[in-house]
Amino acid sequence: MKFMAFVADLHCHSCHSDGTLGVADLFALAASRGVRLIALTDHDELSGLFAARQSATQHQIQMVSGVEISAAWAGKSVHIVGLRLNESHPALVGALRRAREERLVRAEAMDAAFVAAGIDGALKGARAYAPNPALISRTHFARYLVDRGVCGAVSEVFSRFMKPGKPGYVPHDWMPMASAIELIHAAGGRAVLAHPARFDVDATAGPEALIKAFADAGGDGLEVVCAAHKPPEWARYGALVRKYGLLASVGSDFHSPTESRVKFGDLPFLSPSLTPVWHDWPEAKALHA
Ligand code: AMP
Ligand code: MN
Ligand code: MN
Ligand code: MN
């Protein structure tokens, strides 16, 4: 069988977490942009996957289940994408429910931090931007503060208020990276380190220390092609994938038609020298048939 490349996108968000589109609109958009293999990867949340499966069938695109788990490594926040997992697995479901509950506690503390910075009603405002009341993200705070006129753009809310050391930032204890990998494996999935260039890792150790720790903890793959990476990073992370015997993934991290840097279908293909995370999945094989 001749190898045929297809457009895969294994990282995107719906309004079940901090995306702005419902699952039906998100998948309709992805399909219209030529995506053939997709994973919905909402933050710490699996509730969109039922609708995702229905939409994938409707648009005749291949879909695997997914999630983006918020985790911590060496005191920094990291994101681990879980792919093709059993979304009913009790340990995974329970851990993510706790993560969402802890997010609500953080959101209350952020509200108090904003009050101390002279901005009241931030949590009430953020909730109005969060269609899923169980999943409150910093993004919801950011959208509210933009619409209220406090900042001109979501990215400005992050840089002025919600990064470490800024007035609305509240440190948070995410689960250890190794626990996220373990949960994904327990649920039968593959663990992929999301957008590695985005992590604020110690400049001397660099991202390789994180990738080595991820591989040592049993992690399976890295996002090589994603919105956070430009050609130098494709090469750099491609080389690290080979060095550590990992699989390669692709994901736009799409959140919204107006906020996202990359549109569905616009990312380049993975280099043929890498083994894609989907290499042995029936959903991918169906696209070659
Ligand atoms: P949280 O998981 O609630 O801490 O929020 C993290 C989310 O905020 C990420 O998934 C991004 O969607 C968004 N985010 C983080 N940093 C930025 C930034 N500098 N500009 C815009 N969005 C950001
Ligand atoms: Mn997000
Ligand atoms: Mn992320
Ligand atoms: Mn994401």
Side-chain angles (χ1 to χ4, degrees), residues 11-13 18 41 43 68 79 81 194-195 198 253-255:
H11 187 158
C12 63
H13 298 274
D18 63 349
T41 55
H43 297 284
E68 183 174 16
H79 287 174
V81 166
H195 42 65
R198 264 197 34 205
D253 203 3
F254 185 87
H255 281 74

Side-chain angles (χ1 to χ4, degrees), residues 64-281:
V64 294
S65 56
V67 67
E68 183 174 16
I69 301 183
S70 311
W73 176 75
K76 308 280 186 186
S77 127
V78 294
H79 287 174
I80 310 298
V81 166
L83 295 173
R84 204 170 185 277
L85 38 73
N86 169 10
E87 68 248 40
S88 305
H89 190 272
L92 178 70
V93 168
L96 295 181
R97 186 187 309 114
R98 285 191 295 280
R100 294 192 296 273
E101 286 165 3
E102 287 162 10
R103 277 178 171 278
L104 296 178
V105 174
R106 178 187 68 157
E108 299 277 0
M110 285 176 64
D111 188 64
F114 274 112
V115 169
I119 297 167
D120 60 4
L123 177 55
K124 186 164 180 285
R127 283 190 187 282
Y129 287 77
N132 174 4
L135 195 293
I136 304 292
S137 155
R138 280 184 292 165
T139 314
H140 300 121
F141 281 87
R143 290 191 183 126
Y144 166 66
L145 292 172
V146 170
D147 283 356
R148 185 168 145 178
V150 174
C151 291
V154 161
S155 55
E156 189 191 329
V157 184
F158 276 89
S159 54
R160 277 178 55 197
F161 291 102
M162 296 198 301
K163 290 201 166 158
K166 301 295 177 179
Y169 180 78
V170 172
H172 192 73
D173 255 342
W174 302 109
M175 72 174 78
M177 176 168 75
S179 304
I181 296 170
E182 212 172 287
L183 282 169
I184 291 164
H185 286 170
R190 283 197 176 135
V192 169
L193 181 63
H195 42 65
R198 264 197 34 205
F199 299 120
D200 170 28
V201 285
D202 173 33
T204 50
E208 189 164 350
L210 165 61
I211 289 164
K212 184 174 185 309
F214 175 78
D216 287 347
D220 302 289
L222 284 192
E223 279 182 2
V224 173
V225 170
C226 63
H229 292 179
K230 300 232 158 17
E233 282 90 28
W234 307 337
R236 178 180 198 189
Y237 292 102
L240 288 166
V241 157
R242 283 188 291 267
K243 178 169 176 183
Y244 290 98
L246 295 167
L247 302 169
S249 193
V250 178
S252 62
D253 203 3
F254 185 87
H255 281 74
S256 140
T258 53
E259 292 165 14
S260 292
R261 274 169 288 183
V262 167
K263 290 193 184 125
F264 277 126
D266 277 359
L267 290 173
F269 292 124
L270 282 178
S271 158
S273 66
L274 301 171
T275 306
V277 65
W278 59 79
H279 71 100
D280 57 352
W281 291 349

